[in-house]
Amino acid sequence: MNATLFVCTTCRAGEPAVDGQPVPGARLYAALAAEPAPEGLTITPVECLSACTNGCAVALSAPGCWSYVYGRLGEGDVPDILAGAAAYAATPDGLVPWRERPQIFRKQSLARIPPQER
Amino acid sequence: MNATLFVCTTCRAGEPAVDGQPVPGARLYAALAAEPAPEGLTITPVECLSACTNGCAVALSAPGCWSYVYGRLGEGDVPDILAGAAAYAATPDGLVPWRERPQIFRKQSLARIPPQER
């Protein structure tokens, strides 16, 4: 399916902003975009996922599927984020079996939203 | 537009479950469903919005619009939830001007997700 991994590029993850330095969200996006995207997945930057107290944050969504938001992420989580996103993109409904989700997706879910059209 | 207010009916809001008593999420849904639904809004129960540490939780979504998840809600918030949901349902894109959002929506956002199809 055509799934999207949205990456908040404005997340500061509690760090003070430093002039000329990319914020943690921008660094996370750059690190994700530098890897080959899993099949069926588009990685898209977005300004603010309104999860500021739990940044860095990403969201997974796809037409007709459950959407998920995960938080408290960093560059070290890139392999797990991509593995979890690949598993999501391979489902017909966005529901990845619990045991097949990376631990960061099991433990750091901020919210999920049902499909918009059913 | 056709907007949906999803209400998590399994939220315990940190309370221990009591046999035979509805959990806080079920009570919130009942209180919302007892009021007239704003124009263009459907109120739908859902099992778990994966925001368990911030329950009770609700989500607002509509086709082609930004989706929002709000948490730490209770029955006393019903008028504000319905006012905020009515404002959301009246927009073409889900983006309600900041000052027109009820305070619970300004202060208790857990996450938002971009439109699924653009």
Side-chain angles (χ1 to χ4, degrees):
Chain A
M1 66 174 169
N2 295 314
T4 304
L5 176 70
F6 292 102
V7 185
C8 176
T9 58
T10 46
C11 272
R12 294 185 183 180
E15 295 182 10
V18 179
D19 272 354
Q21 297 287 324
V23 297
R27 295 205 305 268
L28 178 61
Y29 171 69
L32 286 163
E35 300 292 326
E39 187 176 336
L41 187 80
T42 303
I43 302 176
T44 300
V46 60
E47 288 193 3
C48 197
L49 290 169
S50 291
C52 310
T53 56
N54 286 292
C56 297
V58 303
L60 276 170
S61 76
C65 293
W66 285 80
S67 300
Y68 288 83
V69 185
Y70 301 103
R72 302 186 296 279
L73 301 169
E75 290 162 90
D77 297 314
V78 164
D80 281 347
I81 294 170
L82 291 174
Y88 176 88
T91 68
D93 53 11
L95 297 170
V96 176
W98 183 258
R99 291 185 179 196
E100 295 172 24
R101 300 180 194 184
Q103 180 159 318
I104 52 169
F105 282 14
R106 293 198 299 255
K107 301 278 189 185
Q108 290 161 232
S109 168
L110 300 184
R112 65 175 190 163
I113 298 179
Q116 287 179 349
E117 291 159 298
R118 288 190 285 189
Chain B
M1 65 175 171
N2 295 315
T4 304
L5 176 69
F6 293 102
V7 185
C8 176
T9 58
T10 46
C11 273
R12 294 184 183 180
E15 295 182 9
V18 179
D19 273 354
Q21 298 287 324
V23 296
R27 296 205 304 269
L28 177 60
Y29 171 69
L32 285 163
E35 300 292 327
E39 187 177 335
L41 186 81
T42 303
I43 301 176
T44 301
V46 60
E47 288 193 2
C48 198
L49 290 169
S50 291
C52 310
T53 56
N54 286 293
C56 296
V58 304
L60 276 170
S61 75
C65 293
W66 285 78
S67 300
Y68 288 83
V69 186
Y70 301 103
R72 301 187 296 280
L73 301 169
E75 290 162 90
D77 298 313
V78 164
D80 282 347
I81 294 170
L82 291 174
Y88 176 87
T91 68
D93 52 12
L95 298 169
V96 176
W98 184 258
R99 291 184 179 197
E100 295 172 23
R101 301 179 193 183
Q103 179 158 321
I104 52 170
F105 282 13
R106 292 198 299 254
K107 301 278 190 185
Q108 290 160 231
S109 168
L110 300 183
R112 64 175 191 163
I113 298 179
Q116 286 177 350
E117 291 158 298
R118 287 192 285 189

